Amino acid sequence: MAKPQVLGKGVKYRGSIHDFPNFDPNQDAEALYTAMKGFGSDKEAILELITSRSNRQRQEISQSYKSLYGKDLIADLKYELTGKFERLIVGLMRPLAYCDAKEIKDAISGIGTDEKCLIEILASRTNEQIHQLVAAYKDAYERDLEADIIGDTSGHFQKMLVVLLQGTREQDDVVSEDLVQQDVQDLYEAGELKWGTDEAQFIYILGNRSKQHLRLVFDEYLRTTGKPIEASIRGELSGDFEKLMLAVVKCIRSTPEYFAERLFKAMKGLGTRDNTLIRIMVSRSELDMLDIREIFRTKYEKSLYSMIKNDTSGEYKKALLKLCGGDDDAAGQFFPEAAQVAYQMWELSAVARVELKGTVRPVDNFNPDADAKALRKAMKGLGTDEDTIIDIITHRSNAQRQQIRQTFKSHFGRDLMADLKSEISGDLARLILGLMMPPAHYDAKQLKKAMEGAGTDEKALIEILATRTNAEIRAICEAYKEDYHKSLEDALSSDTSGHFRRILISLATGNREEGGEDRNQAREDAQEIADTPSGDKTSLETRFMTILCTRSYPHLRRVFQEFVKMTNYDVEHTIKKEMSGDVRDVFVAIVQSVKNKPLFFADKLYKSMKGAGTDDKTLTRIMVSRSEIDLLNIRREFIEKYDKSLHQAIEGDTSGDFLKALLAICGGED
């Protein structure tokens, strides 16, 4: 990789494209003329030359080309090249401000508007870049950009775009604590506390305050309200305005992370959003492509280079890979800057003390007597009234459901669970009966099922034992003994083997330390797992087990940070590289759970509904077991990561009464 050039004030250059050494614009102009002369063009020579020059040098080549041949280089390139490759090469030939101006002109020309393009450019550019863009638009099209945007958009979306177009965001890094508190209060009162939303406050604060100031506002907002600013924006705003405000927040937090996410979404799934891919690769190649690559690698566990390689073809692919500037998977490891990104992610996860919230809460004016009677009526006689059953059971807390069970037996001398079992079936029965069991007994039953019969469901064992608290584990052990007359440890011993068995048994003791972090001990722990020679699998697994299965969550967060500092690896990456099978899976689950438990479950839910067929057992197990603990947090992580709500995913993947019950537990559309 090219050595980073250092800019003024010790700032490192973070682009992937550098000035070409011994540059001669006349020679390059001649080479391009030759490549396009005669029948057919030498596309390889064109792409090689243009992607190896900086934008400043390309402007000089254009000038020389005109002087030497009296022709416009961009017009010639357009004539010789076609499709995506032409768009990419021509984009590289324009100065950045003119490139942005062209993208915006295309986005608002003709029928319909490409709002995503407007959002991406105007939410991410600095004041200076905005001023240059406005001037370039005027120069290229002899039109006023603000007037054109006003003519093509409307409402609050239009107002925020106009604010961003002023390029007057405060630049001051000195932050007033009083103003931070005031802004948090104003945003809270404009959204959460207000009937209807005062959009003007959101526009004013998010459109004008400095990045440094807003980052502190976001941290304080989370501490004060218990929810991230993104969740409030989703709850209070809608449509393109909501998307624009979320993009602004993402760019304030980290512009490279915003672009890494945009690139990933441009290439994931079927088909590629080539316009987005081209626009970002062109516009960021001399700004922050190295940062984007690092965050991409950390966040998506694959390099940007490998994703482009698998998703594009021909000269277009070659040119994009040149702009990418290197493959971060080539060495099979993180490089130092990526490790720093991972380190910062740990810092954030340690700071964010997010309040955990379930979606199912005790109902007010609870009347177990009336509920028991209504359930009996719903199951009596011919046919079953599933709607009533779903409505009552999904809108009561577990403690209230236990009271209903008791009342049902007292009134009718019948077992409510047995009656439900005989009246409903399939996925709905699994879900409703799961909700009716006390949580520890439900988990015990899931563990028993995972070990029953031929074959073991290791995924279920891992999911439960790697994520429960000490108190929950101890309650599960008691419930298991009570229900199956055998200790959970004995069951695990006879059904699993080797290191995997040792890890599960260690987790099943429920003896994880409860305290905070100890920095000195954390350094020692990190050293302990970092020192194991690669290839010494047994020793590595034992060392990881003694630390991952016994230390408290806050302490493990610090261990993982220290590990990054020592090795330039994220601990999860190391586990995946050095281990395999169930041992790897259980350690990864512990690490992900320590990093962000709601995100761990959001991932599991997504995978249970992704692709053909649904893994109903996993879907049911998570919805039942997290409904009163952190399902609201899981919902937030789900929409943040997958760009669709858990509600939408369930709607698109299940049906009938099972769907109705799941949506009731889900508790709302984000």
Side-chain angles (χ1 to χ4, degrees), residues 45-96:
I46 295 170
L47 90 84
E48 191 55 47
L49 193 147
I50 289 175
T51 58
S52 303
R53 307 295 183 269
S54 67
N55 193 283
R56 182 185 60 76
Q57 291 174 332
R58 292 181 209 124
Q59 303 320 309
E60 288 188 51
I61 297 169
S62 276
Q63 202 53 57
S64 294
Y65 195 88
K66 192 161 252 173
S67 306
L68 288 170
Y69 306 107
K71 292 164 73 103
D72 180 51
L73 177 53
I74 287 186
D76 279 7
L77 286 166
K78 272 186 172 168
Y79 180 75
E80 291 292 333
L81 310 176
T82 56
K84 297 175 285 203
F85 181 53
E86 176 219 317
R87 193 180 171 100
L88 178 62
I89 294 296
V90 169
L92 287 168
M93 288 308 303
R94 291 193 176 100
L96 178 61

Side-chain angles (χ1 to χ4, degrees), residues 8 17 104 136 162 174 176 184 193 255 276 293 310 323 330 334 356 369-370 391 395 400 409 430 461 540 561 570 667:
I17 298 287
I104 286 190
V162 169
V174 179
S176 145
V184 168
L193 291 182
T255 307
T276 303
R293 272 170 43 185
N310 293 331
L323 295 180
F334 277 46
L356 297 179
D369 208 46
D391 189 50
H395 290 100
Q400 290 176 332
K409 190 161 246 172
R430 241 199 310 269
L461 296 180
L540 186 70
Q561 276 184 302
D570 181 77

Side-chain angles (χ1 to χ4, degrees), residues 292-326:
I292 292 168
R293 272 170 43 185
E294 282 146 18
I295 290 176
F296 196 97
R297 178 71 188 78
T298 306
K299 208 167 169 167
Y300 302 111
E301 295 172 9
K302 64 175 87 176
S303 67
L304 175 58
Y305 190 95
S306 66
M307 198 156 181
I308 291 171
K309 202 169 164 181
N310 293 331
D311 215 68
T312 58
S313 61
E315 274 90 12
Y316 175 52
K317 169 166 86 174
K318 284 181 193 160
L320 286 170
L321 292 178
K322 289 271 291 184
L323 295 180
C324 183

